[in-house]
Amino acid sequence: ETGVTQSPTHLIKTRGQQVTLRCSSQSGHNTVSWYQQALGQGPQFIFQYYREEENGRGNFPPRFSGLQFPNYSSELNVNALELDDSALYLCASSFDRGAGTGELFFGEGSRLTVL
Amino acid sequence: GNSVTQMEGPVTLSEEAFLTINCTYTATGYPSLFWYVQYPGEGLQLLLKATKADDKGSNKGFEATYRKETTSFHLEKGSVQVSDSAVYFCALGGSQGNLIFGKGTKLSVKP
């Protein structure tokens, strides 16, 4: 069973640039969620994709956008980067939106630094 | 809105000591409650969960009981090991299939 993989693991951008982060979901999972974890904080929900459609969204501006592909992998795009976007971005996969079980399988994250 | 508050860390204990990490929540309805753990260099993983009041979740010697009357879900372990050193997150199930996390508590266990 292949777990959740994310790329890149680390990257550095400058303010105003755009970034794309990628996630491959665990085999058999059709739901991908993205979370932002600032230093010393808990993960904050950005959005969730289920069967290629956005299925829920947290309190993040529209410059955070995403995609889910037919193989259920996903991308997180952030435009017009700001210094406060520096964080660990976590991808989590599950089956059928977690189906109430709440068990999400997380990748190790992509650490973004915005200078 | 729904939220989770957990005790500030870091917590440092000696091996075989008793562990309690407090977690309280604010929520409408009766959401499922979870403890996730983040070991150094690894992704978050589910430690245990409880889906209704008075349920007790348990795994790897850790336990937590869903207390509706005190809106709490405290994590306990009777005898910690060095390998339990990690960051622990309390979380509740949100209305969008998401999880709402606390800020995390870093535990260090010394031999």
Side-chain angles (χ1 to χ4, degrees):
Chain A
E1 182 176 83
T2 306
V4 178
T5 58
Q6 293 186 241
S7 62
T9 54
H10 295 82
L11 70 166
I12 299 173
K13 294 284 187 178
T14 56
R15 200 168 41 178
Q17 285 188 313
Q18 178 265 344
V19 68
T20 298
L21 307 178
R22 296 178 175 82
C23 172
S24 294
S25 59
Q26 183 162 310
S27 176
H29 287 178
N30 56 15
T31 304
V32 172
S33 304
W34 286 92
Y35 288 77
Q36 180 195 66
Q37 187 178 9
L39 200 61
Q41 302 295 314
Q44 299 287 316
F45 175 62
I46 302 175
F47 43 57
Q48 179 185 83
Y49 278 82
Y50 171 64
R51 295 187 175 179
E52 302 178 58
E53 295 199 359
E54 187 178 294
N55 184 59
R57 189 178 184 93
N59 189 26
F60 281 81
R63 59 188 185 85
F64 285 78
S65 63
L67 283 174
Q68 187 179 31
F69 300 99
N71 66 355
Y72 303 126
S73 65
S74 176
E75 286 183 355
L76 164 66
N77 297 290
V78 186
N79 292 323
L81 284 168
E82 301 177 0
L83 297 179
D84 284 349
D85 295 333
S86 295
L88 182 68
Y89 288 84
L90 299 171
C91 171
S93 75
S94 58
F95 181 70
D96 276 359
R97 293 167 289 186
T101 67
E103 181 156 14
L104 304 184
F105 294 80
F106 284 84
E108 293 184 29
S110 294
R111 184 164 297 283
L112 171 65
T113 301
V114 182
L115 302 177
Chain B
N2 294 357
S3 65
V4 172
T5 302
Q6 60 181 105
M7 64 186 283
E8 300 269 335
V11 174
T12 303
L13 295 174
S14 298
E15 207 164 22
E16 300 183 1
F18 184 86
L19 169 71
T20 300
I21 301 178
N22 290 338
C23 172
T24 58
Y25 66 90
T26 301
T28 52
Y30 303 104
S32 296
L33 299 174
F34 310 87
W35 279 98
Y36 274 76
V37 59
Q38 191 170 37
Y39 297 104
E42 298 184 19
L44 277 167
Q45 54 187 272
L46 179 67
L47 180 60
L48 54 83
K49 67 181 182 185
T51 58
K52 61 183 188 295
D54 300 325
D55 263 4
K56 177 184 284 188
S58 61
N59 186 26
K60 301 182 180 182
F62 290 89
E63 292 183 340
T65 301
Y66 190 142
R67 302 282 189 203
K68 184 178 64 174
E69 60 277 9
T70 54
T71 62
S72 65
F73 192 56
H74 304 321
L75 182 68
E76 296 183 337
K77 186 175 185 183
S79 176
V80 293
Q81 305 301 310
V82 172
S83 57
D84 294 326
S85 298
V87 182
Y88 292 82
F89 292 91
C90 184
L92 64 83
S95 60
Q96 301 184 82
N98 58 310
L99 292 174
I100 298 168
F101 287 91
K103 291 185 176 183
T105 303
K106 183 175 181 180
L107 170 66
S108 296
V109 181
K110 306 296 184 187

